[in-house]
């Protein structure tokens, strides 16, 4: 993996993880509010003419706004690798080579914050670092549409913003690149001194060494080396930055794990005081980065996007902590999940998981998860140690576009064994009405999946290809036959069949997940799943282990039970002065009468949190249940619970 590509991925990491792209065999295309589809974006944005046009655009913008060309080029290189990305918004809410940000309440609602239904979205998006595109429009007179879609306009807008930062620090706009250090640090968008310094130092490293690359649309761009550049680092004192640049904050890691701290951008989460303020921490979410280790760290330092609490390196299991555990990180795409969880990112790619998830990563992560479980009382089961692909969608419109990482090649059975909480045991099929744990093994569980280019940001998959690989799941079908259609999740296929696409999470049950047996037929077992009876091949119980010490919940009355993706208090329970968050049942899902689902912990009170520090706790309680491939929430008053 080349270094220049790593920095490129820092800002544009895993656009595809925010949406399920192009399930061609089902004729479905689902996008999130974060990004246009590539075909649509390319139709709206003309690529620069000629392979030197982008270099010329940088030179023209630098001259017009009196920014040293090498500074402008190096800033853009750090932000985007000089790629225009056809006018698409990055996962950090930015556009174009200069990564001009335009993080609206709608973006925050559907992005990594998952803040749909929140009444304080306007407050959460007030940070000026989230609106540099609007600032550029005022400075240049160019329209926001031009700044999003026209690379030359975007570069001019970035130059104008950078020049405005320089004027606030230094009345003149000197030709000496070193005298722009403070403006470059401010362009990072971070209010934290450590992160702003790290960004500026990376920019000046590019200036000092020089670099060149050909962009995705064939533009050849370079910055000449200036080994004599002397960054004016004292300019940092003129910025309103918090924290000491040189100090290393305390890390929260077990002694056996190599751990350092690098602060994420403050806008990528919320300062809190969990669990001392009454906000429980009861879930750990396992992610993969869809980029290199360093790119993920850089991405989380970019304002307006996501951040996880920890990032794990593939080669040796080294850890970078980026958010204190007391604080809320925007990592899961669901605010309620973010509020109660800790996110752990793993260097790797979901489409290539078997080759990226190393034993060093598994063991270091297991040590970290055990440490966090002991500290916060997090249950070591698969309703509380989950993948990003298991996180509930916060509302009906966002369910289909939720992430599918760490994907089919994360070995859950091995990982849970490392936690001293194995999910497997003596295999067999439990009686109808009892619970089973899905335990198909991993290396011996060879499944055939289709991987398409949009599933694989490495570029190693130029065309849709079916591959057989070790997998952590079983396929689910609509009848007890290997020729029966795959079950299609209602939010994705809307009455159609599922697919074997690697990103089509809706037709799979994953290792460690627990479901109630609905029926048996020879070598096939049926479970209640997503409101339906679905079947999987299970000869002699080879893919299941009877489950014990769980709670089964089923409708208390004669009507189906509503299913939710968030857990906010009722509107009437919010005190005056706080904007109530709202939620509605997921329209795609219910728990029909006659069905039952597994909960592994008692119900909890609904709650909410505000940046002011206010915590609102509701009177009603909700269960977390294993509903389908994802967990979901039901009100305790709507169900009858029985222990098994």
């Amino acid at each position: 993996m080349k270094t220049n590509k790593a920095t490129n991925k820092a800002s544009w990491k895993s656009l595809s993880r925010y949406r399920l792209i192009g399930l061609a065999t089902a004729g479905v295309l689902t996008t999130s509010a974060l990004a246009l589809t590539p075909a649509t974006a390319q139709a709206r944005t003309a690529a620069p003419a000629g392979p030197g046009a982008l270099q010329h655009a940088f030179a023209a913008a630098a001259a017009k706004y009196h920014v040293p060309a090498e500074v402008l080029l190096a800033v853009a290189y750090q932000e985007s690798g000089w790629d225009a990305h056809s006018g698409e918004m990055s996962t950090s809410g930015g556009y174009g080579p200069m990564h001009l940000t335009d993080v609206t309440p709608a973006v925050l609602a559907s992005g990594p914050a998952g803040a749909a239904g929140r009444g304080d979205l306007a407050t959460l998006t007030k940070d000026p670092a989230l609106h540099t595109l609007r600032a550029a429009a005022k400075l240049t007179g160019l329209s926001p549409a031009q700044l999003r879609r026209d690379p030359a306009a975007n570069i001019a807008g970035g130059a104008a913003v950078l020049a405005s930062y320089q004027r606030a620090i230094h009345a003149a706009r000197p030709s000496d690149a070193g005298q722009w250090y403070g403006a470059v640090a401010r362009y990072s968008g971070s209010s934290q001194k450590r992160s702003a310094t790290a960004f500026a130092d990376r920019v000046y490293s590019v200036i000092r060494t020089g670099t060149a690359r050909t962009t995705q649309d064939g533009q050849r761009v370079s910055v000449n080396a200036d080994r004599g550049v002397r960054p004016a680092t004292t300019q940092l004192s003129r910025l309103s930055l918090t924290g000491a640049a040189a100090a290393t904050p305390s890390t929260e890691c077990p002694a056996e794990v190599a751990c350092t701290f690098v602060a994420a951008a403050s806008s990528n989460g919320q300062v809190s005081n969990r669990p001392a303020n009454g906000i429980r921490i009861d879930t750990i979410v396992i992610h993969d980065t869809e980029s290199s280790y360093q790119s993920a760290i850089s991405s989380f330092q970019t304002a307006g996007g996501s951040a996880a609490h920890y990032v794990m390196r593939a080669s040796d299991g080294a850890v970078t902590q980026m958010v204190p555990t007391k604080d809320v990180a925007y990592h899961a795409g669901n605010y309620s999940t973010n509020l109660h969880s800790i996110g752990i990112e793993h260097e790797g790619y979901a489409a290539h998981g078997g080759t990226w998830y190393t034993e060093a990563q598994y063991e270091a992560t297991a040590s970290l998860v055990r440490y966090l479980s002991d500290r916060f009382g997090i249950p070591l089961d698969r309703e509380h140690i989950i993948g990003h692909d298991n996180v509930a969608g916060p509302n009906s419109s966002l369910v289909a576009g939720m992430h599918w990482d760490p994907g089919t090649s994360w070995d859950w059975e091995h990982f849970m064994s490392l936690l001293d909480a194995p999910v497997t045991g003596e295999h067999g099929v439990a009686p109808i009405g009892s619970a089973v744990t899905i335990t198909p093994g991993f290396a011996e569980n060879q499944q055939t999946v289709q991987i398409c280019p949009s599933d694989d940001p490495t570029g190693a998959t130029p065309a849709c290809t079916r591959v057989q690989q070790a997998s952590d799941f079983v396929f689910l079908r609509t009848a007890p036959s290997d020729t029966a259609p795959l079950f299609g999740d209602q939010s994705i296929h809307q009455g159609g069949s599922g697919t074997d696409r690697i990103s089509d999470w809706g037709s799979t049950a994953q290792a460690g997940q627990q479901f109630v047996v609905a029926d048996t037929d020879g070598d096939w077992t049926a479970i209640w799943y997503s409101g339906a009876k679905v079947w999987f091949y299970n000869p002699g119980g080879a893919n299941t282990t009877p489950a014990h010490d769980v709670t089964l919940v089923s409708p208390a009355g004669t009507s189906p039970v509503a299913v939710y993706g968030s857990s906010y208090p009722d509107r009437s329970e919010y005190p005056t002065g706080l904007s109530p968050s709202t939620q509605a049942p997921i329209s795609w899902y219910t728990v029909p009468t006659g069905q039952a689902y597994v909960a592994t912990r008692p119900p909890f009170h609904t709650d909410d949190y505000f940046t002011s520090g206010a915590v609102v706790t509701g009177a009603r309680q909700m269960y977390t249940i294993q509903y389908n491939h994802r967990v979901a929430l039901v009100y305790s008053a709507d169900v009858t619970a029985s222990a098994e």
Side-chain angles (χ1 to χ4, degrees):
M1 188 171 299
K2 296 180 180 178
T3 303
N4 59 356
K5 289 186 178 180
T7 53
N8 176 31
K9 288 173 183 170
S11 293
W12 301 93
K13 181 176 74 74
S14 186
L15 284 169
S16 63
R17 289 201 301 158
Y18 282 100
R19 57 191 190 274
L20 187 61
I21 303 178
L23 291 172
T25 55
V28 176
L29 180 66
T30 306
T31 63
S32 78
L34 271 182
L36 300 169
T37 64
T40 303
Q42 288 171 5
R44 294 182 179 183
T45 309
L54 203 63
Q55 184 88 42
H56 176 75
F58 277 110
K64 181 173 182 177
Y65 292 100
H66 306 287
V67 180
E70 62 269 39
V71 171
L72 188 62
L73 283 158
V75 167
Y77 182 78
Q78 283 299 317
E79 292 285 15
S80 69
W82 301 321
D83 281 314
H85 293 275
S86 302
E88 286 192 72
M89 179 185 284
S90 78
T91 56
S92 297
Y95 290 90
M98 297 304 300
H99 194 263
L100 295 174
T101 56
D102 192 19
V103 181
T104 64
V107 169
L108 198 64
S110 59
R118 294 195 60 80
D120 60 347
L121 284 172
T123 300
L124 295 175
T125 56
K126 277 185 176 179
D127 187 345
L130 305 183
H131 305 287
T132 59
L133 187 139
R134 302 288 169 171
K138 291 180 180 179
L139 290 167
T140 63
L142 297 168
S143 72
Q146 287 175 290
L147 292 164
R148 291 186 187 99
R149 300 170 187 165
D150 182 345
N154 185 274
I155 292 166
V161 170
L162 195 58
S164 73
Y165 294 166
Q166 179 66 13
R167 284 193 297 272
I169 295 171
H170 197 293
R173 282 173 284 178
S175 59
D176 179 1
Q179 292 300 314
W180 287 73
Y181 187 88
V184 169
R186 183 175 173 185
Y187 201 95
S188 71
S190 178
S191 63
Q192 297 174 334
K193 195 169 187 179
R194 187 176 182 85
S195 295
T197 300
F199 176 82
D201 287 346
R202 290 197 300 271
V203 168
Y204 278 87
S205 176
V206 172
I207 295 173
R208 189 172 292 109
T209 61
T211 193
R213 72 177 290 260
T214 299
T215 67
Q216 292 177 352
D217 54 9
Q219 292 291 306
R220 184 66 179 169
V221 186
S222 64
V223 55
N224 294 326
D226 179 3
R227 289 180 172 79
V229 67
R230 295 291 183 268
T233 56
T234 57
Q235 292 179 351
L236 288 174
S237 63
R238 305 180 197 179
L239 304 178
S240 299
L241 300 173
T242 59
T248 301
S250 298
T251 57
E252 300 168 279
C253 292
E256 65 269 23
V257 173
C259 195
T260 58
F261 192 97
V262 175
S266 56
S267 65
N268 298 350
Q270 290 175 284
V271 174
S272 185
N273 191 28
R274 307 181 308 169
N277 61 0
I279 297 295
R280 70 187 185 282
I281 301 174
D282 65 4
T283 302
I284 292 173
V285 182
I286 302 296
H287 305 253
D288 80 63
T289 61
E290 297 296 295
S291 73
S292 72
Y293 177 69
Q294 190 57 51
S295 292
I297 293 169
S298 298
S299 179
F300 295 158
Q301 292 176 292
T302 302
S306 61
H309 292 86
Y310 299 91
V311 185
M312 316 293 290
R313 190 161 62 196
S315 60
D316 58 1
V319 184
T320 295
Q321 184 176 359
M322 302 198 70
V323 180
T325 58
K326 72 178 184 64
D327 294 339
V328 179
Y330 295 161
H331 63 97
N334 182 317
Y335 187 87
S336 288
T337 301
N338 290 336
L339 187 59
H340 299 294
S341 69
I342 292 170
I344 305 177
E345 286 273 2
H346 294 78
E347 182 182 23
Y349 299 86
H352 298 269
T355 59
W356 274 93
Y357 303 144
T358 64
E359 186 61 22
Q361 268 188 331
Y362 279 122
E363 293 189 9
T365 302
S367 293
L368 177 60
V369 169
R370 287 196 304 270
Y371 161 84
L372 295 170
S373 172
D374 290 343
R375 183 175 170 190
F376 298 114
I378 301 170
L380 292 176
D381 61 57
R382 288 285 282 111
E383 283 185 11
H384 298 89
I385 311 299
I386 63 176
H388 201 173
D389 54 337
N390 307 137
V391 174
N395 67 19
S396 300
S397 66
L398 298 176
V399 173
M402 296 294 287
H403 292 206
W404 60 277
D405 64 294
T408 62
S409 291
W410 179 265
D411 189 347
W412 280 108
E413 290 185 45
H414 176 54
F415 182 64
M416 297 303 290
S417 293
L418 290 173
L419 296 179
D420 297 325
V423 296
T424 193
E426 185 175 348
H427 284 254
V429 181
I432 294 172
S434 297
V436 290
T437 304
I438 305 298
T439 51
F442 183 71
E444 68 279 16
N445 182 36
Q446 297 285 318
Q447 300 285 0
T448 299
V449 294
Q450 180 180 214
I451 302 175
C452 290
S454 56
D455 302 320
D456 182 7
T458 68
T461 307
C464 291
T465 307
R466 280 187 168 80
V467 299
Q468 188 179 69
Q469 58 186 27
S471 300
D472 63 6
F473 70 93
V474 293
F475 277 118
L476 303 173
R477 299 188 179 273
T478 56
S481 168
D482 57 11
T483 61
L486 291 170
F487 175 76
D489 182 85
Q490 301 93 314
S491 70
I492 303 171
H493 300 287
Q494 300 176 26
S497 301
T499 73
D500 62 1
R501 181 80 173 269
I502 195 171
S503 52
D504 190 352
W505 45 267
S507 60
T508 62
Q510 203 172 53
Q513 294 179 332
Q514 296 176 321
F515 299 96
V516 176
V517 176
D519 204 351
T520 59
D521 187 337
D523 289 338
W524 291 79
T525 298
I527 54 175
W528 299 122
Y529 179 98
S530 205
K533 180 194 285 190
V534 299
W535 297 83
F536 61 96
Y537 187 60
N538 191 29
N543 293 320
T544 54
T545 301
H548 305 287
D549 300 322
V550 297
T551 297
L552 307 186
V553 299
S554 56
T558 58
S559 299
V561 169
V563 172
Y564 293 80
S566 54
S567 54
Y568 295 129
D570 296 340
R571 175 180 287 273
S572 62
E573 295 177 308
Y574 286 80
T576 301
L578 293 180
S579 299
S581 300
T582 60
Q583 63 188 22
I586 302 297
S587 60
W588 309 108
Y589 304 141
T590 64
V591 176
T593 57
Q595 295 188 13
Y597 291 81
V598 173
T600 59
R601 202 179 194 194
F604 53 83
H605 286 277
T606 58
D607 59 3
D608 203 353
Y609 175 72
F610 293 83
T611 302
S612 64
V615 175
V616 181
T617 302
R620 293 207 284 173
Q621 294 183 312
M622 302 187 86
Y623 278 105
T624 298
I625 62 171
Q626 187 66 64
Y627 180 70
N628 50 24
H629 187 91
R630 304 185 185 282
V631 297
L633 304 166
V634 293
Y635 282 107
S636 60
D638 293 343
V639 298
T640 297
S642 60
E644 179 173 298

